[in-house]
Each structure stands twice: as structure tokens, then as C-alpha cells.
PDB file of all heavy atoms in Angstrom:
ATOM      1  N   PRO A 121      85.740 126.207  97.742  1.00 49.00           N
ATOM      2  CA  PRO A 121      86.375 127.215  98.608  1.00 49.00           C
ATOM      3  C   PRO A 121      85.522 127.590  99.805  1.00 49.00           C
ATOM      4  O   PRO A 121      86.038 127.977 100.853  1.00 49.00           O
ATOM      5  CB  PRO A 121      86.572 128.406  97.663  1.00 49.00           C
ATOM      6  CG  PRO A 121      86.609 127.809  96.298  1.00 49.00           C
ATOM      7  CD  PRO A 121      85.663 126.637  96.341  1.00 49.00           C
ATOM      8  N   GLY A 122      84.207 127.461  99.669  1.00 50.00           N
ATOM      9  CA  GLY A 122      83.327 127.812 100.774  1.00 50.00           C
ATOM     10  C   GLY A 122      83.119 126.685 101.770  1.00 50.00           C
ATOM     11  O   GLY A 122      82.505 126.884 102.816  1.00 50.00           O
ATOM     12  N   ASN A 123      83.634 125.472 101.427  1.00 45.00           N
ATOM     13  CA  ASN A 123      83.458 124.327 102.326  1.00 45.00           C
ATOM     14  C   ASN A 123      84.633 123.377 102.150  1.00 45.00           C
ATOM     15  O   ASN A 123      84.501 122.285 101.602  1.00 45.00           O
ATOM     16  CB  ASN A 123      82.137 123.604 102.017  1.00 45.00           C
ATOM     17  CG  ASN A 123      81.841 122.509 103.021  1.00 45.00           C
ATOM     18  OD1 ASN A 123      82.443 122.452 104.088  1.00 45.00           O
ATOM     19  ND2 ASN A 123      80.921 121.616 102.667  1.00 45.00           N
ATOM     20  N   VAL A 124      85.804 123.820 102.606  1.00 42.00           N
ATOM     21  CA  VAL A 124      87.021 123.044 102.382  1.00 42.00           C
ATOM     22  C   VAL A 124      87.066 121.786 103.252  1.00 42.00           C
ATOM     23  O   VAL A 124      87.925 120.921 103.039  1.00 42.00           O
ATOM     24  CB  VAL A 124      88.279 123.900 102.676  1.00 42.00           C
ATOM     25  CG1 VAL A 124      88.392 125.013 101.673  1.00 42.00           C
ATOM     26  CG2 VAL A 124      88.248 124.441 104.106  1.00 42.00           C
ATOM     27  N   LEU A 125      86.161 121.671 104.218  1.00 51.00           N
ATOM     28  CA  LEU A 125      86.127 120.484 105.066  1.00 51.00           C
ATOM     29  C   LEU A 125      84.940 119.584 104.729  1.00 51.00           C
ATOM     30  O   LEU A 125      84.425 118.867 105.587  1.00 51.00           O
ATOM     31  CB  LEU A 125      86.080 120.883 106.548  1.00 51.00           C
ATOM     32  CG  LEU A 125      87.323 121.602 107.079  1.00 51.00           C
ATOM     33  CD1 LEU A 125      87.139 121.953 108.545  1.00 51.00           C
ATOM     34  CD2 LEU A 125      88.569 120.735 106.892  1.00 51.00           C
ATOM     35  N   SER A 126      84.506 119.621 103.478  1.00 56.00           N
ATOM     36  CA  SER A 126      83.428 118.732 103.063  1.00 56.00           C
ATOM     37  C   SER A 126      83.885 117.286 103.167  1.00 56.00           C
ATOM     38  O   SER A 126      85.087 116.987 103.204  1.00 56.00           O
ATOM     39  CB  SER A 126      83.003 119.042 101.621  1.00 56.00           C
ATOM     40  OG  SER A 126      84.053 118.730 100.719  1.00 56.00           O
ATOM     41  N   ALA A 127      82.918 116.359 103.201  1.00 61.00           N
ATOM     42  CA  ALA A 127      83.234 114.943 103.384  1.00 61.00           C
ATOM     43  C   ALA A 127      84.157 114.431 102.291  1.00 61.00           C
ATOM     44  O   ALA A 127      85.106 113.680 102.560  1.00 61.00           O
ATOM     45  CB  ALA A 127      81.942 114.126 103.413  1.00 61.00           C
ATOM     46  N   ASP A 128      83.904 114.831 101.030  1.00 72.00           N
ATOM     47  CA  ASP A 128      84.733 114.363  99.922  1.00 72.00           C
ATOM     48  C   ASP A 128      86.173 114.850 100.048  1.00 72.00           C
ATOM     49  O   ASP A 128      87.116 114.093  99.801  1.00 72.00           O
ATOM     50  CB  ASP A 128      84.151 114.836  98.582  1.00 72.00           C
ATOM     51  CG  ASP A 128      82.949 114.019  98.159  1.00 72.00           C
ATOM     52  OD1 ASP A 128      82.598 113.073  98.883  1.00 72.00           O
ATOM     53  OD2 ASP A 128      82.371 114.320  97.099  1.00 72.00           O
ATOM     54  N   VAL A 129      86.338 116.116 100.425  1.00 78.00           N
ATOM     55  CA  VAL A 129      87.686 116.679 100.535  1.00 78.00           C
ATOM     56  C   VAL A 129      88.447 116.017 101.680  1.00 78.00           C
ATOM     57  O   VAL A 129      89.623 115.645 101.541  1.00 78.00           O
ATOM     58  CB  VAL A 129      87.622 118.201 100.738  1.00 78.00           C
ATOM     59  CG1 VAL A 129      89.011 118.763 101.001  1.00 78.00           C
ATOM     60  CG2 VAL A 129      87.008 118.880  99.513  1.00 78.00           C
ATOM     61  N   VAL A 130      87.804 115.838 102.830  1.00 85.00           N
ATOM     62  CA  VAL A 130      88.458 115.191 103.968  1.00 85.00           C
ATOM     63  C   VAL A 130      88.822 113.755 103.624  1.00 85.00           C
ATOM     64  O   VAL A 130      89.932 113.287 103.921  1.00 85.00           O
ATOM     65  CB  VAL A 130      87.551 115.232 105.212  1.00 85.00           C
ATOM     66  CG1 VAL A 130      88.133 114.375 106.328  1.00 85.00           C
ATOM     67  CG2 VAL A 130      87.375 116.674 105.689  1.00 85.00           C
ATOM     68  N   ALA A 131      87.889 113.044 102.994  1.00 86.00           N
ATOM     69  CA  ALA A 131      88.153 111.650 102.623  1.00 86.00           C
ATOM     70  C   ALA A 131      89.311 111.564 101.637  1.00 86.00           C
ATOM     71  O   ALA A 131      90.185 110.694 101.762  1.00 86.00           O
ATOM     72  CB  ALA A 131      86.899 111.030 102.011  1.00 86.00           C
ATOM     73  N   THR A 132      89.335 112.477 100.664  1.00 85.00           N
ATOM     74  CA  THR A 132      90.439 112.501  99.702  1.00 85.00           C
ATOM     75  C   THR A 132      91.763 112.757 100.410  1.00 85.00           C
ATOM     76  O   THR A 132      92.775 112.110 100.123  1.00 85.00           O
ATOM     77  CB  THR A 132      90.196 113.589  98.640  1.00 85.00           C
ATOM     78  OG1 THR A 132      88.988 113.298  97.936  1.00 85.00           O
ATOM     79  CG2 THR A 132      91.348 113.641  97.647  1.00 85.00           C
ATOM     80  N   GLY A 133      91.750 113.692 101.359  1.00 87.00           N
ATOM     81  CA  GLY A 133      92.965 113.993 102.112  1.00 87.00           C
ATOM     82  C   GLY A 133      93.448 112.798 102.916  1.00 87.00           C
ATOM     83  O   GLY A 133      94.652 112.509 102.964  1.00 87.00           O
ATOM     84  N   LEU A 134      92.531 112.066 103.551  1.00 93.00           N
ATOM     85  CA  LEU A 134      92.909 110.896 104.328  1.00 93.00           C
ATOM     86  C   LEU A 134      93.551 109.824 103.443  1.00 93.00           C
ATOM     87  O   LEU A 134      94.577 109.225 103.810  1.00 93.00           O
ATOM     88  CB  LEU A 134      91.686 110.311 105.036  1.00 93.00           C
ATOM     89  CG  LEU A 134      91.137 111.124 106.212  1.00 93.00           C
ATOM     90  CD1 LEU A 134      89.823 110.519 106.699  1.00 93.00           C
ATOM     91  CD2 LEU A 134      92.143 111.161 107.362  1.00 93.00           C
ATOM     92  N   ILE A 135      92.961 109.592 102.283  1.00 92.00           N
ATOM     93  CA  ILE A 135      93.504 108.554 101.393  1.00 92.00           C
ATOM     94  C   ILE A 135      94.817 109.016 100.774  1.00 92.00           C
ATOM     95  O   ILE A 135      95.725 108.211 100.532  1.00 92.00           O
ATOM     96  CB  ILE A 135      92.467 108.171 100.323  1.00 92.00           C
ATOM     97  CG1 ILE A 135      91.235 107.577 100.999  1.00 92.00           C
ATOM     98  CG2 ILE A 135      93.056 107.161  99.333  1.00 92.00           C
ATOM     99  CD1 ILE A 135      90.115 107.205 100.056  1.00 92.00           C
ATOM    100  N   LEU A 136      94.957 110.319 100.541  1.00 90.00           N
ATOM    101  CA  LEU A 136      96.236 110.846 100.048  1.00 90.00           C
ATOM    102  C   LEU A 136      97.330 110.635 101.093  1.00 90.00           C
ATOM    103  O   LEU A 136      98.454 110.219 100.766  1.00 90.00           O
ATOM    104  CB  LEU A 136      96.098 112.323  99.709  1.00 90.00           C
ATOM    105  CG  LEU A 136      97.363 113.025  99.196  1.00 90.00           C
ATOM    106  CD1 LEU A 136      97.875 112.347  97.928  1.00 90.00           C
ATOM    107  CD2 LEU A 136      97.083 114.505  98.936  1.00 90.00           C
ATOM    108  N   VAL A 137      97.019 110.909 102.371  1.00 93.00           N
ATOM    109  CA  VAL A 137      97.997 110.678 103.443  1.00 93.00           C
ATOM    110  C   VAL A 137      98.302 109.188 103.558  1.00 93.00           C
ATOM    111  O   VAL A 137      99.456 108.783 103.776  1.00 93.00           O
ATOM    112  CB  VAL A 137      97.477 111.235 104.783  1.00 93.00           C
ATOM    113  CG1 VAL A 137      98.425 110.859 105.921  1.00 93.00           C
ATOM    114  CG2 VAL A 137      97.328 112.744 104.701  1.00 93.00           C
ATOM    115  N   ALA A 138      97.289 108.342 103.395  1.00 94.00           N
ATOM    116  CA  ALA A 138      97.502 106.895 103.419  1.00 94.00           C
ATOM    117  C   ALA A 138      98.469 106.477 102.319  1.00 94.00           C
ATOM    118  O   ALA A 138      99.399 105.683 102.547  1.00 94.00           O
ATOM    119  CB  ALA A 138      96.164 106.169 103.251  1.00 94.00           C
ATOM    120  N   THR A 139      98.261 107.011 101.131  1.00 90.00           N
ATOM    121  CA  THR A 139      99.128 106.686  99.999  1.00 90.00           C
ATOM    122  C   THR A 139     100.545 107.176 100.241  1.00 90.00           C
ATOM    123  O   THR A 139     101.524 106.497  99.900  1.00 90.00           O
ATOM    124  CB  THR A 139      98.561 107.302  98.710  1.00 90.00           C
ATOM    125  OG1 THR A 139      97.193 106.883  98.549  1.00 90.00           O
ATOM    126  CG2 THR A 139      99.349 106.868  97.491  1.00 90.00           C
ATOM    127  N   ALA A 140     100.674 108.355 100.853  1.00 91.00           N
ATOM    128  CA  ALA A 140     101.998 108.883 101.181  1.00 91.00           C
ATOM    129  C   ALA A 140     102.698 107.993 102.204  1.00 91.00           C
ATOM    130  O   ALA A 140     103.914 107.760 102.126  1.00 91.00           O
ATOM    131  CB  ALA A 140     101.875 110.308 101.708  1.00 91.00           C
ATOM    132  N   ALA A 141     101.943 107.469 103.177  1.00 93.00           N
ATOM    133  CA  ALA A 141     102.530 106.569 104.170  1.00 93.00           C
ATOM    134  C   ALA A 141     103.054 105.304 103.506  1.00 93.00           C
ATOM    135  O   ALA A 141     104.154 104.822 103.834  1.00 93.00           O
ATOM    136  CB  ALA A 141     101.493 106.212 105.242  1.00 93.00           C
ATOM    137  N   PHE A 142     102.304 104.774 102.569  1.00 89.00           N
ATOM    138  CA  PHE A 142     102.735 103.569 101.853  1.00 89.00           C
ATOM    139  C   PHE A 142     103.995 103.863 101.043  1.00 89.00           C
ATOM    140  O   PHE A 142     104.945 103.068 101.037  1.00 89.00           O
ATOM    141  CB  PHE A 142     101.618 103.089 100.929  1.00 89.00           C
ATOM    142  CG  PHE A 142     101.856 101.730 100.336  1.00 89.00           C
ATOM    143  CD1 PHE A 142     101.354 100.600 100.961  1.00 89.00           C
ATOM    144  CD2 PHE A 142     102.590 101.576  99.170  1.00 89.00           C
ATOM    145  CE1 PHE A 142     101.573  99.331 100.422  1.00 89.00           C
ATOM    146  CE2 PHE A 142     102.822 100.325  98.626  1.00 89.00           C
ATOM    147  CZ  PHE A 142     102.309  99.197  99.249  1.00 89.00           C
ATOM    148  N   ALA A 143     104.009 105.005 100.353  1.00 86.00           N
ATOM    149  CA  ALA A 143     105.171 105.363  99.543  1.00 86.00           C
ATOM    150  C   ALA A 143     106.406 105.572 100.417  1.00 86.00           C
ATOM    151  O   ALA A 143     107.504 105.100 100.084  1.00 86.00           O
ATOM    152  CB  ALA A 143     104.869 106.629  98.743  1.00 86.00           C
ATOM    153  N   LEU A 144     106.247 106.253 101.550  1.00 88.00           N
ATOM    154  CA  LEU A 144     107.368 106.478 102.457  1.00 88.00           C
ATOM    155  C   LEU A 144     107.894 105.155 103.001  1.00 88.00           C
ATOM    156  O   LEU A 144     109.115 104.929 103.069  1.00 88.00           O
ATOM    157  CB  LEU A 144     106.946 107.390 103.599  1.00 88.00           C
ATOM    158  CG  LEU A 144     107.995 107.654 104.688  1.00 88.00           C
ATOM    159  CD1 LEU A 144     109.255 108.273 104.097  1.00 88.00           C
ATOM    160  CD2 LEU A 144     107.416 108.538 105.787  1.00 88.00           C
ATOM    161  N   GLY A 145     106.984 104.277 103.372  1.00 88.00           N
ATOM    162  CA  GLY A 145     107.401 102.973 103.869  1.00 88.00           C
ATOM    163  C   GLY A 145     108.187 102.187 102.837  1.00 88.00           C
ATOM    164  O   GLY A 145     109.182 101.526 103.159  1.00 88.00           O
ATOM    165  N   SER A 146     107.762 102.265 101.585  1.00 83.00           N
ATOM    166  CA  SER A 146     108.465 101.562 100.508  1.00 83.00           C
ATOM    167  C   SER A 146     109.893 102.072 100.365  1.00 83.00           C
ATOM    168  O   SER A 146     110.834 101.289 100.184  1.00 83.00           O
ATOM    169  CB  SER A 146     107.712 101.736  99.186  1.00 83.00           C
ATOM    170  OG  SER A 146     106.400 101.212  99.275  1.00 83.00           O
ATOM    171  N   VAL A 147     110.068 103.396 100.456  1.00 82.00           N
ATOM    172  CA  VAL A 147     111.405 103.981 100.337  1.00 82.00           C
ATOM    173  C   VAL A 147     112.271 103.602 101.537  1.00 82.00           C
ATOM    174  O   VAL A 147     113.458 103.270 101.379  1.00 82.00           O
ATOM    175  CB  VAL A 147     111.308 105.512 100.195  1.00 82.00           C
ATOM    176  CG1 VAL A 147     112.691 106.153 100.266  1.00 82.00           C
ATOM    177  CG2 VAL A 147     110.630 105.876  98.873  1.00 82.00           C
ATOM    178  N   LEU A 148     111.697 103.628 102.731  1.00 87.00           N
ATOM    179  CA  LEU A 148     112.461 103.258 103.925  1.00 87.00           C
ATOM    180  C   LEU A 148     112.910 101.803 103.869  1.00 87.00           C
ATOM    181  O   LEU A 148     114.018 101.460 104.302  1.00 87.00           O
ATOM    182  CB  LEU A 148     111.627 103.500 105.182  1.00 87.00           C
ATOM    183  CG  LEU A 148     111.312 104.963 105.504  1.00 87.00           C
ATOM    184  CD1 LEU A 148     110.411 105.064 106.735  1.00 87.00           C
ATOM    185  CD2 LEU A 148     112.597 105.764 105.710  1.00 87.00           C
ATOM    186  N   LEU A 149     112.075 100.944 103.321  1.00 84.00           N
ATOM    187  CA  LEU A 149     112.465  99.544 103.155  1.00 84.00           C
ATOM    188  C   LEU A 149     113.639  99.416 102.190  1.00 84.00           C
ATOM    189  O   LEU A 149     114.565  98.626 102.408  1.00 84.00           O
ATOM    190  CB  LEU A 149     111.286  98.713 102.649  1.00 84.00           C
ATOM    191  CG  LEU A 149     110.171  98.412 103.648  1.00 84.00           C
ATOM    192  CD1 LEU A 149     109.033  97.675 102.967  1.00 84.00           C
ATOM    193  CD2 LEU A 149     110.690  97.589 104.824  1.00 84.00           C
ATOM    194  N   GLU A 150     113.613 100.212 101.122  1.00 77.00           N
ATOM    195  CA  GLU A 150     114.695 100.165 100.139  1.00 77.00           C
ATOM    196  C   GLU A 150     115.999 100.671 100.743  1.00 77.00           C
ATOM    197  O   GLU A 150     117.084 100.204 100.394  1.00 77.00           O
ATOM    198  CB  GLU A 150     114.323 101.011  98.910  1.00 77.00           C
ATOM    199  CG  GLU A 150     113.273 100.389  98.016  1.00 77.00           C
ATOM    200  CD  GLU A 150     113.775  99.120  97.332  1.00 77.00           C
ATOM    201  OE1 GLU A 150     114.977  99.062  96.997  1.00 77.00           O
ATOM    202  OE2 GLU A 150     112.967  98.190  97.156  1.00 77.00           O
ATOM    203  N   ARG A 151     115.919 101.618 101.651  1.00 79.00           N
ATOM    204  CA  ARG A 151     117.123 102.195 102.268  1.00 79.00           C
ATOM    205  C   ARG A 151     117.772 101.253 103.285  1.00 79.00           C
ATOM    206  O   ARG A 151     118.958 101.375 103.584  1.00 79.00           O
ATOM    207  CB  ARG A 151     116.774 103.511 102.978  1.00 79.00           C
ATOM    208  CG  ARG A 151     116.667 104.701 102.054  1.00 79.00           C
ATOM    209  CD  ARG A 151     116.213 105.931 102.832  1.00 79.00           C
ATOM    210  NE  ARG A 151     117.010 106.167 104.033  1.00 79.00           N
ATOM    211  CZ  ARG A 151     118.138 106.858 104.056  1.00 79.00           C
ATOM    212  NH1 ARG A 151     118.616 107.378 102.938  1.00 79.00           N
ATOM    213  NH2 ARG A 151     118.795 107.039 105.192  1.00 79.00           N
ATOM    214  N   SER A 152     117.017 100.324 103.814  1.00 80.00           N
ATOM    215  CA  SER A 152     117.540  99.462 104.866  1.00 80.00           C
ATOM    216  C   SER A 152     118.583  98.493 104.314  1.00 80.00           C
ATOM    217  O   SER A 152     118.472  97.994 103.190  1.00 80.00           O
ATOM    218  CB  SER A 152     116.398  98.668 105.509  1.00 80.00           C
ATOM    219  OG  SER A 152     116.895  97.745 106.447  1.00 80.00           O
ATOM    220  N   ASP A 153     119.609  98.242 105.115  1.00 81.00           N
ATOM    221  CA  ASP A 153     120.647  97.284 104.734  1.00 81.00           C
ATOM    222  C   ASP A 153     120.269  95.853 105.093  1.00 81.00           C
ATOM    223  O   ASP A 153     120.920  94.904 104.640  1.00 81.00           O
ATOM    224  CB  ASP A 153     121.968  97.628 105.437  1.00 81.00           C
ATOM    225  CG  ASP A 153     122.536  98.971 104.980  1.00 81.00           C
ATOM    226  OD1 ASP A 153     122.313  99.324 103.800  1.00 81.00           O
ATOM    227  OD2 ASP A 153     123.175  99.664 105.790  1.00 81.00           O
ATOM    228  N   ALA A 154     119.248  95.677 105.920  1.00 83.00           N
ATOM    229  CA  ALA A 154     118.842  94.336 106.336  1.00 83.00           C
ATOM    230  C   ALA A 154     118.151  93.613 105.182  1.00 83.00           C
ATOM    231  O   ALA A 154     117.580  94.239 104.283  1.00 83.00           O
ATOM    232  CB  ALA A 154     117.909  94.422 107.541  1.00 83.00           C
ATOM    233  N   GLU A 155     118.218  92.292 105.226  1.00 86.00           N
ATOM    234  CA  GLU A 155     117.565  91.472 104.214  1.00 86.00           C
ATOM    235  C   GLU A 155     116.720  90.410 104.898  1.00 86.00           C
ATOM    236  O   GLU A 155     117.089  89.899 105.956  1.00 86.00           O
ATOM    237  CB  GLU A 155     118.600  90.818 103.293  1.00 86.00           C
ATOM    238  CG  GLU A 155     119.372  91.803 102.432  1.00 86.00           C
ATOM    239  CD  GLU A 155     120.313  91.104 101.469  1.00 86.00           C
ATOM    240  OE1 GLU A 155     120.314  89.854 101.451  1.00 86.00           O
ATOM    241  OE2 GLU A 155     121.045  91.801 100.748  1.00 86.00           O
ATOM    242  N   LEU A 156     115.597  90.097 104.271  1.00 90.00           N
ATOM    243  CA  LEU A 156     114.671  89.134 104.828  1.00 90.00           C
ATOM    244  C   LEU A 156     113.829  88.595 103.677  1.00 90.00           C
ATOM    245  O   LEU A 156     113.456  89.358 102.778  1.00 90.00           O
ATOM    246  CB  LEU A 156     113.775  89.820 105.863  1.00 90.00           C
ATOM    247  CG  LEU A 156     113.031  88.978 106.893  1.00 90.00           C
ATOM    248  CD1 LEU A 156     114.000  88.214 107.779  1.00 90.00           C
ATOM    249  CD2 LEU A 156     112.159  89.881 107.755  1.00 90.00           C
ATOM    250  N   PRO A 157     113.522  87.303 103.648  1.00 90.00           N
ATOM    251  CA  PRO A 157     112.616  86.809 102.602  1.00 90.00           C
ATOM    252  C   PRO A 157     111.340  87.624 102.580  1.00 90.00           C
ATOM    253  O   PRO A 157     110.778  87.929 103.646  1.00 90.00           O
ATOM    254  CB  PRO A 157     112.361  85.349 103.007  1.00 90.00           C
ATOM    255  CG  PRO A 157     113.574  84.965 103.790  1.00 90.00           C
ATOM    256  CD  PRO A 157     113.981  86.211 104.532  1.00 90.00           C
ATOM    257  N   ILE A 158     110.887  87.977 101.395  1.00 85.00           N
ATOM    258  CA  ILE A 158     109.752  88.885 101.290  1.00 85.00           C
ATOM    259  C   ILE A 158     108.502  88.297 101.940  1.00 85.00           C
ATOM    260  O   ILE A 158     107.701  89.010 102.556  1.00 85.00           O
ATOM    261  CB  ILE A 158     109.488  89.259  99.807  1.00 85.00           C
ATOM    262  CG1 ILE A 158     108.515  90.415  99.702  1.00 85.00           C
ATOM    263  CG2 ILE A 158     109.007  88.048  99.017  1.00 85.00           C
ATOM    264  CD1 ILE A 158     109.069  91.718 100.179  1.00 85.00           C
ATOM    265  N   GLU A 159     108.337  86.968 101.852  1.00 88.00           N
ATOM    266  CA  GLU A 159     107.175  86.335 102.482  1.00 88.00           C
ATOM    267  C   GLU A 159     107.219  86.497 103.996  1.00 88.00           C
ATOM    268  O   GLU A 159     106.194  86.752 104.634  1.00 88.00           O
ATOM    269  CB  GLU A 159     107.130  84.850 102.122  1.00 88.00           C
ATOM    270  CG  GLU A 159     106.996  84.567 100.631  1.00 88.00           C
ATOM    271  CD  GLU A 159     108.336  84.450  99.934  1.00 88.00           C
ATOM    272  OE1 GLU A 159     109.370  84.841 100.546  1.00 88.00           O
ATOM    273  OE2 GLU A 159     108.366  83.985  98.794  1.00 88.00           O
ATOM    274  N   THR A 160     108.423  86.353 104.569  1.00 93.00           N
ATOM    275  CA  THR A 160     108.587  86.502 106.014  1.00 93.00           C
ATOM    276  C   THR A 160     108.320  87.945 106.442  1.00 93.00           C
ATOM    277  O   THR A 160     107.610  88.205 107.424  1.00 93.00           O
ATOM    278  CB  THR A 160     110.006  86.088 106.426  1.00 93.00           C
ATOM    279  OG1 THR A 160     110.242  84.739 106.017  1.00 93.00           O
ATOM    280  CG2 THR A 160     110.207  86.203 107.921  1.00 93.00           C
ATOM    281  N   MET A 161     108.908  88.881 105.708  1.00 91.00           N
ATOM    282  CA  MET A 161     108.714  90.289 106.042  1.00 91.00           C
ATOM    283  C   MET A 161     107.249  90.678 105.957  1.00 91.00           C
ATOM    284  O   MET A 161     106.703  91.329 106.859  1.00 91.00           O
ATOM    285  CB  MET A 161     109.560  91.160 105.113  1.00 91.00           C
ATOM    286  CG  MET A 161     109.658  92.622 105.544  1.00 91.00           C
ATOM    287  SD  MET A 161     108.285  93.656 104.979  1.00 91.00           S
ATOM    288  CE  MET A 161     108.670  93.758 103.231  1.00 91.00           C
ATOM    289  N   GLU A 162     106.571  90.277 104.885  1.00 91.00           N
ATOM    290  CA  GLU A 162     105.164  90.635 104.724  1.00 91.00           C
ATOM    291  C   GLU A 162     104.289  89.970 105.783  1.00 91.00           C
ATOM    292  O   GLU A 162     103.377  90.593 106.328  1.00 91.00           O
ATOM    293  CB  GLU A 162     104.685  90.251 103.320  1.00 91.00           C
ATOM    294  CG  GLU A 162     105.157  91.177 102.222  1.00 91.00           C
ATOM    295  CD  GLU A 162     104.514  92.542 102.295  1.00 91.00           C
ATOM    296  OE1 GLU A 162     103.506  92.707 103.006  1.00 91.00           O
ATOM    297  OE2 GLU A 162     105.018  93.457 101.631  1.00 91.00           O
ATOM    298  N   GLY A 163     104.550  88.693 106.067  1.00 94.00           N
ATOM    299  CA  GLY A 163     103.723  87.992 107.042  1.00 94.00           C
ATOM    300  C   GLY A 163     103.778  88.628 108.421  1.00 94.00           C
ATOM    301  O   GLY A 163     102.743  88.887 109.054  1.00 94.00           O
ATOM    302  N   TRP A 164     104.992  88.925 108.905  1.00 96.00           N
ATOM    303  CA  TRP A 164     105.126  89.538 110.222  1.00 96.00           C
ATOM    304  C   TRP A 164     104.670  90.997 110.213  1.00 96.00           C
ATOM    305  O   TRP A 164     104.132  91.500 111.210  1.00 96.00           O
ATOM    306  CB  TRP A 164     106.564  89.418 110.720  1.00 96.00           C
ATOM    307  CG  TRP A 164     106.902  88.014 111.124  1.00 96.00           C
ATOM    308  CD1 TRP A 164     107.627  87.101 110.421  1.00 96.00           C
ATOM    309  CD2 TRP A 164     106.467  87.350 112.314  1.00 96.00           C
ATOM    310  NE1 TRP A 164     107.689  85.905 111.090  1.00 96.00           N
ATOM    311  CE2 TRP A 164     106.995  86.031 112.270  1.00 96.00           C
ATOM    312  CE3 TRP A 164     105.720  87.735 113.413  1.00 96.00           C
ATOM    313  CZ2 TRP A 164     106.768  85.099 113.272  1.00 96.00           C
ATOM    314  CZ3 TRP A 164     105.492  86.803 114.427  1.00 96.00           C
ATOM    315  CH2 TRP A 164     106.019  85.508 114.356  1.00 96.00           C
TER     316      TRP A 164
END
């Protein structure tokens, strides 16, 4: 509580946001009506 911006807390927050971005992207991909071979989609 006395140092909420410590290196560990900031790093944890960054990786949590990174994980949220990955999760959001996964859901947006599922919502899309377009189809593409997974190898093609991942490569590009």
C-alpha cells in the first residue's frame, strides 16, 4: 500500500493487460464471420 508503483506491481499489471489483450483478441476472432486457414491467419 505504501508503494503501489513498485517494479513488481507495474510488471504484473503490464502482463495482466497483455493477457487481457490476448483474451480479447481470441473472442473477437470467434465473433468474426470470415474464415481463413489457421496457418494463413497466424502467418500474416
Side-chain angles (χ1 to χ4, degrees):
N123 186 15
V124 294
L125 294 179
S126 66
D128 283 358
V129 174
V130 171
T132 299
L134 288 173
I135 297 178
L136 179 59
V137 174
T139 306
F142 191 93
L144 176 58
S146 300
V147 172
L148 293 177
L149 287 176
E150 287 293 325
R151 280 176 51 87
S152 175
D153 295 328
E155 294 184 3
L156 199 62
I158 192 69
E159 299 90 346
T160 302
M161 192 275 288
E162 284 291 345
W164 287 102

